[in-house]
Amino acid sequence: MIAIDDFNNSKVKKLPNHLRQYIVDQNYENYTSINHAVWRYVMRQNYSYLKNVAYYPYIKGLARAGLSIENIPDLQTMNDNLGKIGWGAVTVDGFIPPVAFMEFQAYQVLVIAADIRQINHIAYTPAPDIIHESAGHAPIIADEAYNNYLSYFGSIGAKAMFSSKDYQLYEAIRKLSILKEDINAHPADIKKAEQKVNFCQENLGDPSEMALLSRLHWYTVEYGLIGTLEDPKIYGAGLLSSIGESASCMQKDVKKLWYNFDTINYSYDITKTQPQLFVTPNFQNLIDVLEAFADTMAFRKGGTESVLKAIECKKTCTAVYSSGLQISGVFTDIGMSKNDELHFIKTTGTSALSHDNKQLQNHGKDFHKDGFSSPVGKLKNEDKCLENFGEKDLEKYNILKGNDTNIEFESGISVSGKVKSLLFKNDKLLLISFDNCTVTTKENQILFKPEFGVYDMAVGEKIVSVFCGAADKDAFEEIAHVSKTQTKKVDYSKKQLELQQLYQETKLIRLTENGIENVERIFNELKKNHREDWLCCIELLEILNQHQINISLQKDIKIYLEMKASNYQELKKLIEDGIKLIDNPVIQLTIKE
């Protein structure tokens, strides 16, 4: 486990253990000179272009988040700066499950992928990387209205119900993103991974809560626009971190629609540019739409339909009785009446009982290792809910410690046994434990036998809420879905290391102004041994232009780059934009506000 408590950031220190499992070291020393050059190129382009089209807090927010144009940000520096606005940051290994990502947001901690995109994906990458997370998300967090929306979205998203197919899609997307950022990946493997993602997307069936919620997240947090349909500004991190799509999205062929509840009907593909984007007039509208959607979710609705969602999820979920008792486990069965009214729930495997998100003593997964089942509803011919029974009510039904009793529910389920104990919380009866207990249905099906041991019967008229995950995640020791597919750690070839050295020499010349006489040698080595490179040549041209020296060499480098741009269409805009910035340099961005 990472010693994140070393960070001087209160939000990071408060993270629970089940989220800490995703955190990895940034390993800043592993960033290469090419990585830093990629960061610098993207940041220079962004600063030059986005100052005119980004939502107004963005440029100021870059500085407030602790970002500079020159170098990849250090996590400690970001935490020092984000801490001033009530947020924190941690580094993770690529894509993490959406429910964990949401929960980090709820804790007001920005999740940053430690890796950075390869140069051949400099304009856009489907993989999360430090450019997207820090240069995209972090600057807008400085806006209070927006960061309130972000953390609230996280608290809603952390309760969203998954389907089992959502997990399959997550794994497919994670694998594809890793392959696309692996410089040694075989094209056939990438194509196969793309086909898998397409298959999963086309066979999701009815979208789950998380699938629908992820659309709202995608079209706001990642690809949102704000203002008017005629003149919107960018606030979505996916656009802010993409030097390609941040420009193309403003073109008229990209449809602009008002952001509203109907947005949940628009699916998306992370590997392609967006055919339409959504514009919100203000951030309050984002919260209003989120509230409307949250009202449709299982954690607010409860009931039969919500428990069925938990069964389909096939992962640990929590059902909350109207008494406040929380049952966490993998739900596998229910009983319901002809009018679909819920009267019985069942989990299989390790389960736990909690109240107010705190596990009840002696009711953890070790005790309930084989599952849990219990009736739901009122007693037969009784208007008062069992959870609200007082002393006289309990005496009426002989529900007293040490007494034998037989209670029958409206559903026909009968519970007969000796009362061992009763558990109350906040004047509500949560749980009745029985010895020598038999539980049967009205059809005389046996649900529990005395030889099974103590029977703990949950108390509650209704299931009022169902959400993904355990109620007390740390006590449950829940290892949320951590993927076995890990990002690739590059083992650089001799040629790649030589190219990195040329980038490092170029950077030192630019920063120290020493060794300018080596520019021509570096350029000749690039032409001879690294014909695929273009970015280092851009930086060499920038150095000569800045010092207004060796006009002849400047001309040679420029011709070389222009020929490369004409021969390789994918490099044309990148090279042209790089040269344009040499003539119109950006002002150095510092971390001062």
Side-chain angles (χ1 to χ4, degrees):
M1 186 175 291
I2 307 303
I4 60 174
D5 291 330
D6 292 340
F7 287 120
N8 185 27
N9 185 291
S10 61
K11 296 297 183 181
V12 173
K13 289 181 178 180
K14 290 178 181 177
L15 287 173
N17 289 334
H18 68 275
L19 289 181
R20 294 188 181 207
Q21 66 183 315
Y22 294 104
I23 302 171
V24 300
D25 286 317
Q26 185 181 20
N27 292 321
Y28 194 87
E29 67 280 359
N30 289 346
Y31 295 125
T32 69
S33 52
I34 299 177
N35 294 153
H36 285 286
V38 166
W39 170 271
R40 182 173 184 266
Y41 178 89
V42 173
M43 292 300 290
R44 280 162 55 83
Q45 293 294 334
N46 278 356
Y47 189 81
S48 174
Y49 174 70
L50 292 176
K51 67 179 184 291
N52 299 316
V53 297
Y55 184 51
Y56 75 90
Y58 177 75
I59 297 300
K60 183 174 67 174
L62 287 169
R64 293 189 68 184
L67 307 179
S68 72
I69 286 177
E70 192 62 43
N71 293 304
I72 295 170
D74 171 75
L75 189 61
Q76 181 62 70
T77 301
M78 287 195 67
N79 267 304
D80 290 343
N81 284 270
L82 289 174
K84 297 174 184 177
I85 56 176
W87 277 69
V90 295
T91 42
V92 299
D93 182 40
F95 274 115
I96 64 173
V99 67
F101 184 88
M102 296 291 183
E103 201 170 354
F104 273 108
Q105 277 187 199
Y107 277 93
Q108 297 178 303
V109 172
L110 183 65
V111 173
I112 299 175
D115 292 331
I116 187 169
R117 66 193 65 179
Q118 299 297 320
I119 190 170
N120 56 324
H121 294 148
I122 195 169
Y124 169 76
T125 175
D129 78 328
I130 197 165
I131 292 178
H132 170 78
E133 310 291 359
S134 57
H137 287 293
I140 302 296
I141 288 180
D143 183 273
E144 184 177 359
Y146 178 72
N147 72 50
N148 286 339
Y149 166 71
L150 198 63
S151 59
Y152 187 53
F153 198 112
S155 66
I156 300 296
K159 294 182 179 294
M161 298 299 298
F162 271 91
S163 72
S164 54
K165 292 182 179 180
D166 288 330
Y167 284 103
Q168 296 171 11
L169 177 58
Y170 159 70
E171 285 287 5
I173 289 174
R174 178 176 168 84
K175 184 173 182 179
L176 174 60
S177 69
I178 290 171
L179 283 171
K180 284 209 165 187
E181 283 304 313
D182 180 3
I183 60 175
N184 298 315
H186 195 283
D189 292 333
I190 294 176
K191 184 176 181 180
K192 185 177 179 181
E194 288 176 335
Q195 291 172 341
K196 179 67 173 178
V197 170
N198 290 336
F199 176 82
C200 289
Q201 287 177 328
E202 292 169 2
N203 292 276
L204 274 177
D206 292 334
S208 67
E209 288 180 358
M210 182 57 82
L212 294 174
L213 197 62
S214 70
R215 295 176 184 178
L216 299 185
H217 196 272
W218 184 262
Y219 289 119
T220 60
V221 176
E222 298 294 351
Y223 283 85
L225 301 176
I226 189 169
T228 65
L229 294 180
E230 297 73 27
D231 184 29
K233 300 297 182 184
I234 298 171
Y235 72 90
L239 295 174
L240 293 172
S241 61
S242 171
I243 56 178
E245 201 166 357
S246 61
S248 64
C249 78
M250 290 302 182
Q251 296 173 3
K252 291 184 178 180
D253 61 336
V254 179
K255 190 184 302 182
K256 311 297 191 302
L257 303 171
W258 283 116
Y259 178 76
N260 53 38
F261 191 87
D262 187 54
T263 305
I264 64 171
N265 296 316
Y266 290 80
S267 59
Y268 61 90
D269 185 340
I270 71 162
T271 65
K272 299 175 182 177
T273 56
Q274 310 309 304
Q276 75 281 310
L277 294 171
F278 293 86
V279 184
T280 185
N282 51 57
F283 289 138
Q284 180 58 47
N285 180 56
L286 303 186
I287 294 177
D288 293 342
V289 172
L290 179 60
E291 270 295 299
F293 181 76
D295 285 340
T296 71
M297 294 172 64
F299 86 96
R300 286 190 178 174
K301 292 187 71 174
T304 304
E305 181 183 348
S306 298
V307 181
L308 288 173
K309 288 181 180 180
I311 292 174
E312 206 289 322
C313 179
K314 300 178 183 178
K315 300 288 182 182
T316 299
C317 294
T318 296
V320 185
Y321 278 79
S322 48
S323 64
L325 182 68
Q326 298 166 311
I327 315 299
S328 297
V330 178
F331 287 83
T332 54
D333 196 11
I334 62 170
M336 56 185 180
S337 63
K338 292 181 180 179
N339 60 356
D340 294 339
E341 203 167 294
L342 190 66
H343 59 71
F344 179 80
I345 60 172
K346 179 182 179 181
T347 66
T348 300
T350 53
S351 303
L353 311 185
S354 303
H355 179 264
D356 198 22
N357 297 325
K358 295 296 181 183
Q359 186 173 288
L360 298 176
Q361 188 175 2
N362 301 322
H363 287 288
K365 66 177 187 177
D366 293 334
F367 184 79
H368 296 287
K369 61 182 183 299
D370 298 319
F372 183 87
S373 63
S374 187
V376 181
K378 288 183 176 181
L379 300 186
K380 187 176 182 180
N381 301 320
E382 176 61 61
D383 292 332
K384 195 172 188 179
C385 300
L386 181 56
E387 65 222 63
N388 295 324
F389 271 23
E391 186 176 343
K392 290 183 178 180
D393 302 309
L394 294 170
E395 287 179 1
K396 175 182 174 182
Y397 287 91
N398 209 30
I399 306 175
L400 300 172
K401 185 176 179 180
N403 286 11
D404 290 320
T405 187
N406 180 71
I407 55 179
E408 187 176 351
F409 288 82
E410 286 181 334
S411 61
I413 291 177
S414 176
V415 179
S416 177
K418 179 179 286 188
V419 178
K420 182 180 180 181
S421 62
L422 296 90
L423 179 64
F424 290 86
K425 292 282 186 182
N426 301 333
D427 296 325
K428 292 279 188 179
L429 178 59
L430 268 61
L431 195 69
I432 306 174
S433 297
F434 296 90
D435 285 323
N436 195 32
C437 188
T438 301
V439 182
T440 58
T441 66
K442 64 181 179 180
E443 294 84 11
N444 293 319
Q445 177 188 359
I446 298 176
L447 302 176
F448 193 90
K449 299 178 181 180
E451 53 264 38
F452 292 170
V454 175
Y455 181 66
D456 295 302
M457 189 189 81
V459 176
E461 179 192 4
K462 298 176 180 178
I463 298 297
V464 295
S465 177
V466 181
F467 56 86
C468 187
D472 187 341
K473 292 183 179 179
D474 284 341
F476 200 77
E477 297 180 343
E478 178 176 311
I479 302 300
H481 190 74
V482 179
S483 177
K484 295 179 181 178
T485 307
Q486 300 296 302
T487 54
K488 304 289 185 180
K489 303 308 175 187
V490 181
D491 189 11
Y492 295 106
S493 66
K494 181 181 178 182
K495 184 179 179 182
Q496 289 167 338
L497 291 172
E498 289 172 350
L499 181 59
Q500 290 174 18
Q501 181 58 38
L502 295 178
Y503 268 86
Q504 182 62 25
E505 286 186 59
T506 302
K507 180 176 181 177
L508 290 174
I509 293 170
R510 177 168 48 78
L511 294 178
T512 67
E513 300 185 7
N514 295 324
I516 292 182
E517 65 277 6
N518 292 318
V519 168
E520 186 168 7
R521 172 185 60 80
I522 295 172
F523 175 55
N524 289 332
E525 287 189 40
L526 290 169
K527 286 196 300 180
K528 180 180 179 181
N529 301 317
H530 305 282
R531 302 278 304 178
E532 75 284 356
D533 183 77
W534 58 274
L535 182 53
C536 194
C537 293
I538 292 281
E539 295 206 341
L540 293 175
L541 182 60
E542 179 189 348
I543 291 169
L544 296 177
N545 181 271
Q546 183 180 350
H547 292 278
Q548 291 296 301
I549 58 173
N550 207 333
I551 303 301
S552 175
L553 181 57
Q554 285 190 54
K555 185 176 180 181
D556 288 345
I557 296 175
K558 199 167 187 178
I559 291 173
Y560 177 77
L561 286 168
E562 288 171 347
M563 289 180 61
K564 192 177 288 291
S566 64
N567 291 331
Y568 300 95
Q569 189 61 35
E570 69 273 15
L571 298 180
K572 181 177 175 61
K573 187 175 188 305
L574 294 170
I575 290 173
E576 289 177 350
D577 287 349
I579 293 174
K580 189 183 298 183
L581 268 187
I582 292 173
D583 298 325
N584 302 281
V586 300
I587 300 171
Q588 176 64 39
L589 178 67
T590 68
I591 63 172
K592 296 179 181 179
E593 293 185 22

